[in-house]
Amino acid sequence: MSQEPGTPSTAELVAGSEVVVDAGPIAHGGFVVARHEGRVLFVRHALPGEQVRVRVTEGAAGDRFLRADAVEVLAASPDRVQPPCPYAGPGLCGGCDFQHVDVAAQRRLKATVVAEQLQRLAHLERDVVVEPVPGDTHGLRWRTRTEFAVDPAGRAGMRRHRSHALLPIDDCLIASERVVGTAVLQADWAGEKAVDVVAPSDGDAVVVRIPSDEAVAPVVTENVAAQSLSREFDVSARGFWQVHPGAAATFVDAVIAGLDPQPGERCLDLYAGVGVFASALAQAVGERGQVIAVESDSIAVAQARLNVASTPWVRYVQGRVDHVFGVESTGRVSGTRKGGRRRPGPRRPSSDIPPTADLVVLDPPRTGAGKAVVGAVVALGPRALAYVACDPAALARDTAYLLERGYALTSLRAFDAFPMTHHVECVAVFTRTGPDLP
């Protein structure tokens, strides 16, 4: 588009510059992509097809791309709404990306991102629909675990986008009523770094001061009421649990329906947490079957062993998944004699990992499982595996590795487990297309 009189030239665009741009497609991370005289801008608080005035928030002359906020909407998308939260907007809370977007349109944007990542990184064309998580109709009051930052004056609030600066708030509209009902936002937290509020399925909400020792954090009870599993789980208030109250049951049912485990089968549950998928698999395969669960966190493993005590055909292995499989870590470790840093050498696989498996569940962190772990899993020859992903780019990268190794993506479901944010959860099921391993 033509440059407005008095606006900076492309070479002069730096933090604080304002220009008018036409918003392009949605990008992974909650931005839209825009261009100004060939310069790429990642713009928050805009929608595809809009014309907006943006203020550059990060970047300097010569940078490959700039970050910007839409500070004025000149031509609005029909999907734009008034943000329900007064703290959502340019320069304000960094927690929500899509408060200015109709909820149904948010899901369409997320579907576009998942499809684009699969096409770009796995060269796979896929129609994607993002489903609401049961119990959510308006996108607000769903978050049952919320960490609030604390400023030097002892006020709790949220961090501003890409900043350590704190924004004091009176309410968080995506936090559940039970979270904000603790009055944590009105209390004086002088001397604390942050406070974590957990509203579990059973019992009162708890507040944990941070930093804290997870070993002494309270244990809370969470319920999973799924078609394939109905039971309680104990989990540390500082441990991992899905923050949307309907998410755990939704993901369990998607995994079990996709894998269709049969009595007597052997299953692996990798990045297993406190045993939700392991318990559902154990129930499906029965006592003639076997479930090996791998989890690195010692507190989660201790709780999981209690959670699965009634199904002794579940065995928990404590350790990092890559270490347990004996594949080389992509990280670096310190401690060489000369004080330098080196890559660890190859490890021996744990004797707890069987030579073959019928089914595998992978629920890795945001970075994904990675090429080495995918290769080790494929070597077991599972007939099918379910991949639970909180990052579409990581899912797409690992999908490419699986396609190269003779697996096909036979099912993909995406869920809006984090309304008002750009995050989306996917459950992908892969089945073996090549010959069986001996």
Side-chain angles (χ1 to χ4, degrees):
M1 62 178 297
S2 62
Q3 182 173 312
E4 285 191 334
T7 58
S9 69
T10 299
E12 295 171 340
L13 283 181
V14 294
S17 299
E18 290 190 9
V19 292
V20 173
V21 298
D22 294 325
I26 191 70
H28 179 36
F31 304 92
V32 298
V33 179
R35 285 175 169 80
H36 178 74
E37 295 186 353
R39 201 89 178 270
V40 175
L41 296 92
F42 291 144
V43 182
R44 290 190 89 217
H45 304 112
L47 279 165
E50 292 187 328
Q51 186 179 73
V52 291
R53 184 182 300 277
V54 304
R55 180 180 299 130
V56 177
T57 55
E58 294 180 47
D63 284 354
R64 189 165 54 91
F65 64 86
L66 305 168
R67 297 181 184 274
D69 263 336
V71 295
E72 182 182 2
V73 180
L74 304 176
S77 164
D79 294 326
R80 178 173 285 275
V81 298
Q82 179 66 29
C85 177
Y87 307 110
L92 299 178
C93 177
C96 289
D97 312 287
F98 290 152
Q99 290 258 356
H100 62 289
V101 189
D102 172 76
V103 172
Q106 292 181 32
R107 293 170 186 151
R108 293 195 295 271
L109 292 177
K110 296 179 187 187
T112 298
V113 169
V114 174
E116 189 273 336
Q117 294 294 309
L118 286 171
Q119 193 281 327
R120 185 172 66 88
L121 298 175
H123 308 293
L124 187 65
E125 300 288 343
R126 194 81 182 193
D127 291 330
V128 179
V129 175
V130 173
E131 307 172 38
V133 173
D136 180 19
T137 58
H138 48 70
L140 302 175
R141 298 302 188 198
W142 52 268
R143 192 174 184 97
T144 60
R145 290 172 173 245
T146 306
E147 183 176 309
F148 298 98
V150 175
D151 70 7
R155 296 173 300 179
M158 291 294 184
R159 300 289 185 192
R160 296 179 188 271
H161 181 61
R162 294 179 62 83
S163 171
H164 292 295
L166 183 127
L167 175 70
I169 61 176
D170 296 320
D171 192 5
C172 173
L173 290 184
I174 66 171
S176 75
E177 289 92 341
R178 294 174 61 214
V179 166
V180 297
T182 60
V184 65
L185 293 171
Q186 289 74 43
D188 182 358
W189 298 102
E192 303 295 342
K193 178 182 177 182
V195 287
D196 198 7
V197 186
V198 178
S201 304
D202 283 349
D204 296 332
V206 298
V207 178
V208 183
R209 299 167 185 261
I210 302 171
S212 66
D213 183 356
E214 187 177 331
V216 298
V219 173
V220 298
T221 301
E222 299 284 4
N223 290 322
V224 175
Q227 293 180 358
S228 56
L229 180 71
S230 180
R231 56 158 299 174
E232 295 179 344
F233 291 86
D234 287 339
V235 58
S236 167
R238 290 287 293 154
F240 175 78
W241 189 263
Q242 292 291 342
V243 296
H244 194 297
T250 299
F251 301 160
V252 166
D253 279 343
V255 165
I256 296 302
L259 292 180
D260 190 24
Q262 298 299 305
E265 287 193 307
R266 175 187 287 158
C267 310
L268 263 65
D269 180 13
L270 307 180
Y271 315 93
V274 296
V276 176
F277 293 120
S279 295
L281 290 168
Q283 184 171 296
V285 301
E287 60 185 12
R288 292 189 297 109
Q290 185 182 29
V291 179
I292 298 98
V294 181
E295 169 58 45
S296 63
D297 184 80
S298 60
I299 295 174
V301 171
Q303 290 165 340
R305 286 173 173 156
L306 296 175
N307 289 332
V308 302
S310 63
T311 51
W313 54 96
V314 178
R315 184 168 77 251
Y316 252 79
V317 179
Q318 184 180 338
R320 284 178 40 161
V321 170
D322 54 350
H323 294 177
V324 170
F325 274 103
V327 297
E328 185 174 349
S329 172
T330 57
R332 299 178 71 85
V333 297
S334 59
T336 62
R337 204 168 68 176
K338 295 182 180 181
R341 299 175 72 84
R342 61 176 176 80
R343 290 188 182 277
R347 298 169 176 267
R348 290 185 178 180
S350 168
S351 59
D352 291 304
I353 297 299
T356 62
D358 298 297
L359 300 171
V360 177
V361 175
L362 294 122
D363 186 10
R366 193 168 302 281
T367 51
K371 188 174 185 178
V373 169
V374 168
V377 167
V378 167
L380 301 177
R383 66 170 177 83
L385 61 91
Y387 192 121
V388 184
C390 59
D391 184 90
L395 171 63
R397 286 192 295 268
D398 288 344
T399 293
Y401 302 143
L402 285 161
L403 298 180
E404 292 170 358
R405 289 159 174 77
Y407 282 76
L409 177 60
T410 52
S411 171
L412 175 66
R413 297 182 68 185
F415 298 98
D416 193 16
F418 312 95
M420 302 295 171
T421 79
H422 74 271
H423 298 292
V424 59
E425 195 90 6
C426 294
V427 177
V429 176
F430 299 84
T431 56
R432 187 177 56 227
T433 58
D436 292 350
L437 294 179

